[in-house]
Amino acid sequence: MHGLKAKLLHAKRYSEKVQMKKTLKAHDERNVKRPDSGTVPEGALPTYLLDRENQRDAKALSTALKQKRKDKAAKYAVPLPKVRGIAEDEMFKVVRTGKSKTKAWKRMVTKATFVGESFTRKPVKMERFIRPMALRYKKANVTHPELKATFQLQIIGVKKNPQSPMYTQLGVLTKGTIIEVNVSELGMVTTGGKAVVAKYAQITNNPENDGCINAVLLV
């Protein structure tokens, strides 16, 4: 990579490294007690408190940073931690509309998708993203890694598509996507004895090529 793009990339990477170093430093000193010079109580202090300093625990990581670290850690707990990026040209096909076919604002999804039971299409003139009926899936072949058995389970929803949040919203099913499946048929129970209705699974194949969805249950 050369020129302006390289400069922008290096600047972005540099800022990420600086942020990571700050985070690690804050993480190392999260239990350190520091003198709190900010608060000065009004009025006279008792004699036994005069030689003491008010101490406070350093709150190192904010909620956002903790969540970011959790996401990074969770990335490696799935069967496929890394997937190939999909370009927008590969994901969508431009649909030309209008009397002379000059309007090109509509897009047809070329990958497998999932839509819920209560899904209702928008009016044709207002629908931007078209999801073909032939590429809609309702069931997935889910393999249990401990039982070494495969079950055909109902898909409840799309939790996260690693390609883009927009693809998650559209319900696009690509390799590496985390889906929620109905496991009530398997008779799974929690440690408290309650029945488990749904669990997450990760897609391990390319559904648009194979004509079916294969996934591994995340246990």
Side-chain angles (χ1 to χ4, degrees), residues 158-211:
V158 178
K159 175 67 178 171
K160 187 175 183 181
N161 190 314
Q163 305 291 342
S164 166
M166 184 179 73
Y167 300 158
T168 305
Q169 193 178 357
L170 286 171
V172 180
L173 303 171
T174 55
K175 192 173 184 177
T177 303
I178 306 295
I179 57 173
E180 196 174 7
V181 290
N182 189 346
V183 292
S184 55
E185 299 172 9
L186 307 185
M188 297 172 77
V189 291
T190 61
T191 51
K194 291 184 177 180
V196 179
V197 178
K199 280 190 86 69
Y200 294 130
Q202 188 182 33
I203 297 173
T204 54
N205 71 324
N206 293 311
E208 70 277 2
N209 294 344
D210 300 340

Side-chain angles (χ1 to χ4, degrees), residues 32-50:
V32 177
K33 288 191 173 181
R34 294 178 180 172
D36 187 8
S37 57
T39 55
V40 178
E42 293 180 4
L45 283 173
T47 315
Y48 60 88
L49 289 178
L50 288 174

Side-chain angles (χ1 to χ4, degrees), residues 29 35 57 62 78 90 110 119 122 139 151 162 183 209 218:
E29 58 184 30
D57 293 330
S62 66
V78 292
E90 188 183 344
T110 59
F119 171 72
K122 286 182 181 178
K139 291 190 176 181
F151 308 92
V183 292
N209 294 344
L218 304 180

Side-chain angles (χ1 to χ4, degrees), residues 71-181:
D71 289 347
K72 284 195 175 181
K75 184 171 68 172
Y76 301 101
V78 292
L80 297 174
K82 288 185 179 180
V83 290
R84 179 184 69 89
I86 299 174
E88 199 171 311
D89 297 338
E90 188 183 344
M91 183 69 74
F92 299 119
K93 176 188 169 187
V94 178
V95 178
R96 294 195 169 271
T97 55
K99 198 172 182 181
S100 54
K101 304 295 180 187
T102 51
K103 297 175 184 175
W105 61 278
K106 286 195 176 193
R107 298 289 182 271
M108 185 181 285
V109 182
T110 59
K111 304 289 180 185
T113 55
F114 167 78
V115 294
E117 291 290 331
S118 58
F119 171 72
T120 307
R121 277 185 68 181
K122 286 182 181 178
V124 179
K125 289 193 175 183
M126 299 169 70
E127 188 179 33
R128 175 163 163 74
F129 295 104
I130 302 164
R131 290 172 279 186
M133 287 289 291
L135 287 172
R136 292 186 194 176
Y137 290 87
K138 292 184 178 179
K139 291 190 176 181
N141 303 319
V142 182
T143 304
H144 197 296
E146 292 172 4
L147 299 175
K148 305 292 182 187
T150 305
F151 308 92
Q152 193 173 58
L153 303 175
Q154 197 92 11
I155 300 172
I156 297 173
V158 178
K159 175 67 178 171
K160 187 175 183 181
N161 190 314
Q163 305 291 342
S164 166
M166 184 179 73
Y167 300 158
T168 305
Q169 193 178 357
L170 286 171
V172 180
L173 303 171
T174 55
K175 192 173 184 177
T177 303
I178 306 295
I179 57 173
E180 196 174 7
V181 290

